[in-house]
Amino acid sequence: MSTADAPPRRRRKEARPQELLDAALALFVEKGFAATRAEEVATRAGVSKGTLYLYFPSKEDLLKAVIAQCLSERIAEGAAAAAGYSGSASALLRNVLCEWWERIYASPAGAVFKLVITEVRNFPEISEFYTREVVEPAHHLLGDIVQRGIAQGEFRPVDVSAAVHSLVLPLIMVCLHKHSLGACEAGAWPLDGHTFIRQHVDLVLDGLSCRTVPADNAPPPPIET
Amino acid sequence: MSTADAPPRRRRKEARPQELLDAALALFVEKGFAATRAEEVATRAGVSKGTLYLYFPSKEDLLKAVIAQCLSERIAEGAAAAAGYSGSASALLRNVLCEWWERIYASPAGAVFKLVITEVRNFPEISEFYTREVVEPAHHLLGDIVQRGIAQGEFRPVDVSAAVHSLVLPLIMVCLHKHSLGACEAGAWPLDGHTFIRQHVDLVLDGLSCRTVPADNAPPPPIET
Amino acid sequence: MSTADAPPRRRRKEARPQELLDAALALFVEKGFAATRAEEVATRAGVSKGTLYLYFPSKEDLLKAVIAQCLSERIAEGAAAAAGYSGSASALLRNVLCEWWERIYASPAGAVFKLVITEVRNFPEISEFYTREVVEPAHHLLGDIVQRGIAQGEFRPVDVSAAVHSLVLPLIMVCLHKHSLGACEAGAWPLDGHTFIRQHVDLVLDGLSCRTVPADNAPPPPIET
Amino acid sequence: MSTADAPPRRRRKEARPQELLDAALALFVEKGFAATRAEEVATRAGVSKGTLYLYFPSKEDLLKAVIAQCLSERIAEGAAAAAGYSGSASALLRNVLCEWWERIYASPAGAVFKLVITEVRNFPEISEFYTREVVEPAHHLLGDIVQRGIAQGEFRPVDVSAAVHSLVLPLIMVCLHKHSLGACEAGAWPLDGHTFIRQHVDLVLDGLSCRTVPADNAPPPPIET
DNA sequence: CATGAATGAGACTTCATTCAT
DNA sequence: AATGAATGAAGTCTCATTCAT
């Protein structure tokens, strides 16, 4: 019937905004905001130009909605994820970072980093929102774990903030790579995110850990999980 | 100097292309290629719209010239710099990375990273060029040092490529930050590049190093999921 | 009344076309035909966009219907009104003009003048219709009275057509004012229609009247410059 | 040479704004602001769409410029004209009104009345400007003459403001007619402005004048409802 | 009958590029 | 060589009209 190949008009209404946001995210990340035509977004979402404007008052509002929505989802997840683990600071960081990364990297949300980096200077509202909702919460979450690790003698007394950056920046960089150079056949130069991230986290955690010890009475490293 | 308020005509003529490239780099990085108007570039370079087209056949060519020129300079520098150091692998890496970073970060060239990330997908030629001229040379240079460190027993036998990434990606990320979030007052959240980079390199080098742990009772590093 | 908050369905159905015409008249006069959106008309009439098209095949047809309907009503009234009076030509004119004006000015029909003036050149059918149904009948009606006044020695032998215009144009102008400048707070500059019209008609009738008096000492008409 | 049929680019630059304003006035008056496409204006002025935007930032600004410029010219003229006459109040009014009217009616400026009436409600700034710069000065100018006529016993003691309106409104109405119904072949129904205006002014001045009527046989003016 | 989601032609506006001066 | 007026293709957004529900 009519619902087979031409889905019922009314039914789709609720799904439209999300479909448009998905299409917009993909295109904005691929081509940049300015270089993406509103009609392309509409077409990719399977609707006409006019329909886009039924749901978003302007292309710029669409951009903001894309970012806000993506980040909101991630924020909700992030909080939930962090609560689920326990154990040594090392294990905790490994778990939180790797799992968080796997989720982000695989999902379209990993693309938002590129979008933010690309568009903040044109739309400064993004900056405030992103810093408040993403950067700071994440930084505090990880910073606290590192801090605890230091306090418990598990980590060396390093600069907490720097350590967090050392851990996290490459994860973001890999996401950026996936959506920029990594997306180009020519010259895309292999960087397997999954294995790299694990190695990276291990490497940095190694650098953080108090490995140096009197040979004889090496305290048994707290084994977790 | 004589260039103060009324720069000599002759002098300027030769400098024009460079002035245009500088202006273009700054604006492309700030607003993105698509969102920058050719006339803005001309104005910022102190010439008129028409003059821009005397030197570059199109806006797109200007973009390619900007990237090519910036990278070429860096490449020349990079090779030179690397040759100048000796010592342990650690010391070498520390020197090469920190010095390279200081130079890049301070100079407008640090901006090219953002430009490349932002525009590769629209202009795939960039990808090939950048990979061939920047990524690979740099990766090999650093990879070789790490490799040597491992061979000499200075570093643990880690995945060389991953180690290089762990070392380098944050440096690039800090450059990106400078030209995106870091350039926004609101929400710009402090990240002092200079001190961070040093701490980061130290931390990773620490992770890489064979810190003497009694061979016999070295606890196998617990690696869990 | 029963129509207060939940008007009976059946009742409304028949009233729809009229409600739409009223809404359309008000909006077309306020903003102009081209600047009024079909949906606004529908909304003001309390129905949805689709419903408008159930009653009128297009926006343009709606315009024509608005004008036709308004004028038809006025024509019917006009003829009736004129028949009701007798007396001197002066008295007749005063009565017809003032009463006609009061009715028109107060009613939404006064707005049609603006609509006609605004839209004739885009929709020439209006011109023919308006001239035939409004201008000519009215002109003849008034012209006949003036003519009679002259024949009876009540008025001086003036140009009949010009006299009619002198009488009538300000009345129309006051209607136009009400719906243009008069509707703007800022700059609306007071012009009380009711008292002005009376004074105006009196003044012109005075000019028309044979006040001329003792033939012998007729004051020489002031010749100018 | 090149100047023959293709006028020198640079030369035209100064004339462009005026050419565009003229084209815009004509079209806005003919079709209304909303129904006129920016490109039509450009084409009529002999330039391309883009050029219009070189001189006016938006269609709306063009409208305001059209009105402002037309009125400014008229204001300058008006003041000059009024100063040039002397004689009886009648003669003065006749001269000022007829001459003013001839000038306005013939020139494209007569069209502004239609424009103002048509567009004030969409662009209220017009209202303020028009009232302040045109309505009030003109009204005071004429009002003063009438007032003087009354003071000198030349006119009957009528309501000054009403008298001014009686004199002036038909002049404006004739201008409106010229650009609305009068411009339509079908149904345009003849109204010769030039002769009408003279007759009208004479008629009203007659109504204003103190025609000496012997007190005893003054016919009681029939004033009924 | 009524609704309002969807459409797409068309209007405004921008801007890369050209070219007469 | 340099300028900047002019162009017109292309992009954003609106809105009259349709039609499935």
Side-chain angles (χ1 to χ4, degrees):
Chain A
M1 273 281 95
S2 72
T3 53
D5 50 355
R9 278 207 195 186
R10 196 57 51 85
R11 242 332 91 82
R12 306 215 50 170
K13 196 204 160 182
E14 284 106 48
R16 280 286 146 76
Q18 188 56 54
E19 290 167 0
L20 286 163
L21 288 170
D22 291 345
L25 175 59
L27 286 165
F28 289 166
V29 168
E30 181 182 334
K31 323 170 70 134
F33 174 74
T36 301
R37 291 183 332 208
E39 191 164 17
E40 284 180 282
V41 175
T43 302
R44 185 190 252 249
V47 298
S48 75
K49 207 177 10 171
T51 301
L52 170 60
Y53 286 91
L54 239 41
Y55 294 94
F56 300 93
S58 76
K59 196 182 153 192
E60 191 173 328
D61 284 279
L62 178 59
L63 171 65
K64 289 175 192 158
V66 164
I67 292 178
Q69 192 249 12
C70 269
L71 296 183
S72 302
E73 275 184 23
R74 246 29 66 186
I75 292 157
E77 274 186 26
Y85 296 106
S86 62
S88 70
S90 274
L92 210 52
L93 283 172
R94 214 186 314 268
N95 280 325
V96 167
L97 286 171
C98 290
E99 184 151 329
W100 172 87
W101 186 83
E102 297 281 355
R103 222 200 319 274
I104 294 293
Y105 183 73
S107 89
V112 200
F113 295 122
K114 187 186 171 199
L115 203 44
V116 170
I117 291 221
T118 302
E119 308 299 341
V120 241
R121 296 197 60 180
N122 291 323
F123 306 98
E125 310 90 295
I126 295 175
S127 168
E128 205 182 345
F129 182 76
Y130 181 75
T131 303
R132 177 165 33 81
E133 303 291 336
V134 179
V135 179
E136 289 176 353
H139 199 81
H140 286 145
L141 174 66
L142 297 172
D144 285 351
I145 305 180
V146 171
Q147 185 72 66
R148 204 167 349 126
I150 295 172
Q152 294 170 349
E154 186 182 346
F155 293 153
R156 292 184 293 123
V158 298
D159 179 311
V160 172
S161 194
V164 169
H165 281 131
S166 286
L167 283 165
V168 155
L169 296 189
L171 312 213
I172 295 171
M173 209 43 230
V174 171
C175 287
L176 291 177
H177 178 83
K178 177 185 181 186
H179 297 283
S180 54
L181 277 172
C184 300
E185 322 161 13
W189 158 87
L191 168 56
D192 176 36
H194 299 280
T195 59
F196 165 64
I197 291 306
R198 254 159 240 287
Q199 293 171 322
H200 166 72
V201 172
D202 282 347
L203 184 58
V204 175
L205 289 180
D206 240 335
L208 281 173
S209 74
C210 281
R211 281 184 294 167
T212 49
V213 270
D216 42 20
N217 62 353
I223 314 267
E224 61 276 52
T225 322
Chain B
M1 282 265 105
S2 70
T3 53
D5 50 355
R9 285 244 162 181
R10 223 83 292 245
R11 255 303 106 82
R12 306 241 12 192
K13 212 174 64 178
E14 272 110 52
R16 283 285 152 79
Q18 187 57 51
E19 287 168 8
L20 285 163
L21 288 170
D22 292 346
L25 175 60
L27 288 166
F28 289 166
V29 168
E30 179 180 336
K31 324 168 70 133
F33 173 74
T36 301
R37 286 176 321 178
E39 189 165 18
E40 282 180 284
V41 174
T43 302
R44 185 191 253 247
V47 298
S48 77
K49 213 177 353 175
T51 302
L52 170 60
Y53 285 87
L54 246 36
Y55 294 95
F56 300 93
S58 77
K59 196 180 155 194
E60 194 174 325
D61 285 283
L62 177 60
L63 171 66
K64 288 173 193 160
V66 164
I67 292 178
Q69 192 250 10
C70 269
L71 297 183
S72 302
E73 275 184 24
R74 248 26 69 185
I75 292 159
E77 275 185 25
Y85 296 106
S86 61
S88 67
S90 274
L92 209 51
L93 283 173
R94 214 185 313 266
N95 280 326
V96 169
L97 286 171
C98 290
E99 184 151 329
W100 173 86
W101 184 83
E102 296 283 355
R103 220 196 324 272
I104 294 293
Y105 183 75
S107 89
V112 201
F113 295 121
K114 188 186 170 198
L115 201 45
V116 169
I117 291 221
T118 302
E119 307 299 342
V120 241
R121 297 197 60 181
N122 290 323
F123 307 99
E125 310 89 294
I126 295 175
S127 168
E128 206 181 343
F129 182 77
Y130 180 75
T131 304
R132 176 162 37 80
E133 303 291 335
V134 178
V135 179
E136 289 177 353
H139 199 80
H140 287 144
L141 174 66
L142 297 171
D144 285 352
I145 306 180
V146 171
Q147 186 71 65
R148 207 168 345 132
I150 294 173
Q152 296 169 349
E154 185 182 347
F155 293 153
R156 293 185 292 123
V158 296
D159 179 312
V160 172
S161 193
V164 170
H165 282 133
S166 286
L167 283 164
V168 156
L169 296 190
L171 311 213
I172 295 171
M173 205 48 228
V174 171
C175 287
L176 291 177
H177 178 83
K178 177 185 181 186
H179 296 283
S180 54
L181 277 172
C184 300
E185 322 159 14
W189 152 90
L191 166 57
D192 175 34
H194 301 280
T195 60
F196 164 64
I197 290 305
R198 256 158 238 287
Q199 292 171 321
H200 166 72
V201 173
D202 283 348
L203 183 58
V204 174
L205 289 179
D206 238 334
L208 280 174
S209 75
C210 280
R211 284 183 285 174
T212 48
V213 193
D216 43 20
N217 64 352
I223 303 195
E224 64 277 41
T225 323
Chain C
M1 282 262 109
S2 71
T3 53
D5 50 355
R9 285 243 163 180
R10 221 81 298 238
R11 254 305 103 84
R12 306 248 1 200
K13 212 173 64 179
E14 272 109 52
R16 284 286 153 77
Q18 187 56 52
E19 289 168 5
L20 284 163
L21 288 169
D22 291 345
L25 175 59
L27 286 166
F28 289 165
V29 168
E30 180 180 337
K31 322 167 72 131
F33 174 74
T36 301
R37 287 177 321 180
E39 188 165 20
E40 282 180 283
V41 175
T43 303
R44 187 192 250 248
V47 298
S48 77
K49 212 178 351 177
T51 304
L52 171 62
Y53 285 87
L54 246 36
Y55 293 95
F56 300 94
S58 77
K59 197 182 154 192
E60 193 174 325
D61 286 283
L62 176 60
L63 172 65
K64 288 174 192 160
V66 164
I67 291 178
Q69 192 249 12
C70 268
L71 296 182
S72 302
E73 274 184 24
R74 246 28 69 185
I75 292 158
E77 275 186 24
Y85 297 106
S86 61
S88 69
S90 273
L92 210 51
L93 282 172
R94 215 186 314 266
N95 280 325
V96 168
L97 285 170
C98 290
E99 185 151 329
W100 173 86
W101 185 83
E102 297 281 357
R103 223 199 318 274
I104 294 294
Y105 183 75
S107 89
V112 200
F113 294 122
K114 188 186 170 198
L115 202 45
V116 169
I117 292 221
T118 301
E119 308 299 342
V120 241
R121 296 196 60 181
N122 289 324
F123 307 97
E125 311 90 294
I126 295 175
S127 168
E128 204 183 344
F129 182 76
Y130 181 75
T131 304
R132 176 164 34 82
E133 302 291 336
V134 179
V135 179
E136 289 176 353
H139 199 80
H140 287 144
L141 174 66
L142 297 171
D144 286 352
I145 305 180
V146 171
Q147 186 70 65
R148 207 172 339 134
I150 294 171
Q152 295 169 350
E154 186 182 347
F155 292 153
R156 292 186 291 124
V158 297
D159 178 312
V160 173
S161 195
V164 170
H165 282 132
S166 286
L167 284 165
V168 156
L169 296 189
L171 312 213
I172 295 170
M173 206 48 227
V174 172
C175 287
L176 291 177
H177 178 84
K178 177 185 181 185
H179 295 284
S180 54
L181 277 171
C184 300
E185 320 159 15
W189 153 90
L191 167 56
D192 176 35
H194 300 279
T195 60
F196 165 64
I197 290 306
R198 257 159 239 286
Q199 293 171 321
H200 166 71
V201 172
D202 283 346
L203 184 59
V204 174
L205 289 180
D206 239 335
L208 281 174
S209 76
C210 279
R211 280 186 289 169
T212 45
V213 273
D216 43 22
N217 64 352
I223 314 273
E224 61 283 37
T225 324
Chain D
M1 273 283 95
S2 72
T3 53
D5 50 355
R9 280 206 193 186
R10 197 57 50 87
R11 244 330 93 83
R12 307 215 47 168
K13 196 205 162 184
E14 284 106 49
R16 281 286 146 76
Q18 189 56 54
E19 289 167 359
L20 286 163
L21 288 170
D22 292 345
L25 175 59
L27 286 165
F28 289 166
V29 169
E30 179 180 337
K31 323 170 69 135
F33 174 75
T36 301
R37 291 181 331 200
E39 190 165 17
E40 284 179 282
V41 175
T43 302
R44 185 190 251 248
V47 298
S48 76
K49 211 174 6 171
T51 302
L52 170 59
Y53 286 89
L54 239 40
Y55 294 94
F56 300 93
S58 76
K59 198 182 153 192
E60 191 173 327
D61 285 281
L62 177 60
L63 172 65
K64 288 175 192 159
V66 164
I67 291 179
Q69 192 249 12
C70 270
L71 296 183
S72 301
E73 275 184 24
R74 250 22 73 185
I75 292 157
E77 275 186 25
Y85 297 106
S86 62
S88 67
S90 274
L92 210 51
L93 284 172
R94 214 186 313 267
N95 281 326
V96 168
L97 287 171
C98 290
E99 185 150 329
W100 174 86
W101 185 83
E102 297 282 356
R103 223 198 319 274
I104 295 292
Y105 184 74
S107 88
V112 202
F113 295 121
K114 187 186 171 198
L115 202 45
V116 169
I117 292 220
T118 302
E119 307 300 343
V120 241
R121 297 198 59 182
N122 290 323
F123 306 99
E125 310 90 294
I126 295 175
S127 168
E128 205 182 344
F129 182 75
Y130 181 75
T131 304
R132 177 164 35 81
E133 302 292 336
V134 179
V135 178
E136 289 176 353
H139 199 80
H140 286 144
L141 174 67
L142 297 171
D144 285 351
I145 305 180
V146 172
Q147 186 71 67
R148 203 164 352 123
I150 295 172
Q152 295 169 349
E154 186 181 345
F155 293 153
R156 294 185 291 122
V158 296
D159 178 313
V160 172
S161 195
V164 170
H165 281 132
S166 286
L167 283 164
V168 155
L169 296 189
L171 312 212
I172 294 169
M173 206 47 228
V174 171
C175 287
L176 291 177
H177 178 84
K178 177 185 181 185
H179 295 283
S180 53
L181 277 172
C184 301
E185 322 158 14
W189 150 90
L191 167 56
D192 175 34
H194 300 280
T195 60
F196 164 64
I197 291 306
R198 255 158 239 287
Q199 293 171 322
H200 166 71
V201 172
D202 282 347
L203 184 59
V204 174
L205 289 180
D206 239 335
L208 280 173
S209 75
C210 279
R211 285 182 283 171
T212 48
V213 197
D216 45 20
N217 67 350
I223 303 191
E224 60 277 46
T225 326

